[in-house]
């Protein structure tokens, strides 16, 4: 396990094997995005009518299209991956959505140029979270909001997955190295997927120290209704898969 803030930006979604695996997961909705993450994140959004919205790590552009339908006046959707953006553009015909190919780390928007900044499951790929949060604070109009989800720190701390018995049944999720923030090389579709572990305290206190006001912290897990439809998600009631934060610039 290495720990550095100086690694180059990884663009793993442009790796053909990774992209194929991820696209298959999302197209078949076999992950937790549709069932857990998207509904929980949407509950934290303000009314989108007339808002200028930025999405960091927009992927296939699902949120950009959703925000426009919900009344956003303009949508800037940014991603480092050419493959993800090409699919997003293919699925979009809306001149008010601007797709930008750029690393989150390199993006410095104009002050007060957005009313809402959203990021779904992308900031755990970013080494320097504080600098990104600072830039977003500057970019958000007072009264605006920063809402984002990341892989939960309980999952990123020691990302080796469930320990299973001989029948393949999950026994426990080993939590270790929680205080050791930094780079983790993990296996997800392929080896060598780089993510960054931070504690919950760092996620929250960084926002507070910059001047954001915390609005909500959530750890979405499947409800009984969801489990009735998708019993295979039961495992996500045993440890939180997602951390979701909403903060406002006053
Ligand atoms: C798990 S996907 C989520 C996509 C989308 N937000 C969603 O929820 O459907 C993560 C996305 O973040 C993008 N990404 C990862 N690291 C990035 C970085 N450093 N800069 C910009 N985009 C990044 C990936 O290319 C990918 O499209």
């Amino acid at each position: 396990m290495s720990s550095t803030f100086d690694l180059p930006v990884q663009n793993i979604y442009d790796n053909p094997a990774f992209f194929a695996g991820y696209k298959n997961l999302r197209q078949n909705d076999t992950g937790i995005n549709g069932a857990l993450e998207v509904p929980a994140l949407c509950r934290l959004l303000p009314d989108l009518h007339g808002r200028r919205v930025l999405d960091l790590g927009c992927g296939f552009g699902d949120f950009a299209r959703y925000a426009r339908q919900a009344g956003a006046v303009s949508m800037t959707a940014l991603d480092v991956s050419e493959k993800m953006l090409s699919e997003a553009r293919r699925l979009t015909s809306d001149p008010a959505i601007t797709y930008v190919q750029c690393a989150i780390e390199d993006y410095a928007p104009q002050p007060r140029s957005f009313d809402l900044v959203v990021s779904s499951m992308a900031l755990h790929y970013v080494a320097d979270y504080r600098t990104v949060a600072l830039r977003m604070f500057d970019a958000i109009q007072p009264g605006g909001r920063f809402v984002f989800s990341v892989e939960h720190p309980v999952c990123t701390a020691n990302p080796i997955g469930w320990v299973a018995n001989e029948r393949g049944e999950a026994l426990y999720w080993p939590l270790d190295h929680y205080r050791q923030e930094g780079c983790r090389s993990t296996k997800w579709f392929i080896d060598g997927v780089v993510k960054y572990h931070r504690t919950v305290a760092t996620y929250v206190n960084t926002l507070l120290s910059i001047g954001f006001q915390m609005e909500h912290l959530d750890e979405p897990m499947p409800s009984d209704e969801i489990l009735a439809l998708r019993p295979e998600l039961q495992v996500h009631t045993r440890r939180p898969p997602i951390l979701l934060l909403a903060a406002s610039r006053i």
Side-chain angles (χ1 to χ4, degrees):
M1 190 183 298
S2 61
S3 171
T4 173
F5 274 53
D6 300 322
L7 287 172
V9 172
Q10 187 184 47
N11 182 2
I12 200 73
Y13 286 73
D14 274 347
N15 175 293
F18 183 97
F19 180 76
Y22 182 76
K23 191 173 173 193
N24 185 49
L25 173 91
R26 294 304 297 269
Q27 280 183 337
N28 296 307
D29 200 19
T30 46
I32 53 175
N33 300 75
L36 280 190
E37 193 262 342
V38 173
L41 186 138
C42 287
R43 282 195 289 275
L44 301 185
L45 297 177
D47 178 5
L48 295 182
H49 279 96
R51 311 281 182 179
R52 302 161 298 164
V53 182
L54 168 65
D55 184 4
L56 299 174
C58 66
F60 297 137
D62 296 354
F63 181 77
R65 292 184 294 278
Y66 164 82
R68 279 285 295 148
Q69 277 175 9
V73 69
S74 67
M75 186 68 227
T76 304
L78 172 143
D79 205 285
V80 73
S81 160
E82 190 180 335
K83 285 184 187 296
M84 297 299 283
L85 284 175
S86 134
E87 190 66 5
R89 289 191 177 103
R90 188 182 70 75
L91 295 167
T92 308
S93 57
D94 181 347
I97 299 179
T98 305
Y99 288 109
V100 179
Q101 187 177 8
C102 182
I104 293 168
E105 296 86 332
D106 296 336
Y107 189 61
Q110 291 297 308
R112 304 180 175 204
S113 48
F114 296 104
D115 304 300
L116 171 68
V117 177
V118 166
S119 182
S120 239
M121 304 305 279
L123 290 176
H124 50 258
Y125 294 110
V126 168
D128 189 351
Y129 162 68
R130 183 178 176 78
T131 296
V132 173
L134 268 168
R135 287 186 184 155
M136 293 311 121
F137 186 82
D138 288 343
I140 292 171
Q141 178 75 19
R145 199 172 281 197
F146 185 23
V147 180
F148 66 89
S149 62
V150 285
E151 209 168 292
H152 200 287
V154 162
C155 298
T156 56
N158 183 39
I160 62 173
W162 293 98
V163 172
N165 64 17
E166 62 284 354
R167 293 187 297 282
E169 296 158 346
L171 294 176
Y172 59 91
W173 181 279
L175 175 59
D176 204 353
H177 306 294
Y178 188 76
R179 205 196 64 180
Q180 188 188 339
E181 299 191 315
C183 178
R184 306 288 195 266
S185 181
T186 72
K187 178 170 181 162
W188 194 36
F189 306 120
I190 59 171
D191 283 324
V193 179
V194 173
K195 297 178 183 173
Y196 291 89
H197 169 67
R198 286 174 274 272
T199 64
V200 174
T202 293
Y203 274 116
V204 171
N205 290 332
T206 301
L207 297 176
L208 292 172
S209 71
I210 287 168
F212 279 108
Q213 174 176 295
M214 283 306 304
E215 300 291 347
H216 201 83
L217 184 158
D218 200 1
E219 295 168 308
M221 284 182 255
S223 62
D224 290 343
E225 293 73 34
I226 290 172
L227 289 174
L229 298 169
R230 302 262 313 265
E232 77 280 8
L233 298 182
Q234 179 75 42
V235 76
H236 296 296
T237 65
R238 294 172 59 184
R239 56 95 182 90
I242 297 163
L243 175 68
L244 191 50
L245 296 174
S248 293
R249 177 173 179 179
I250 305 302

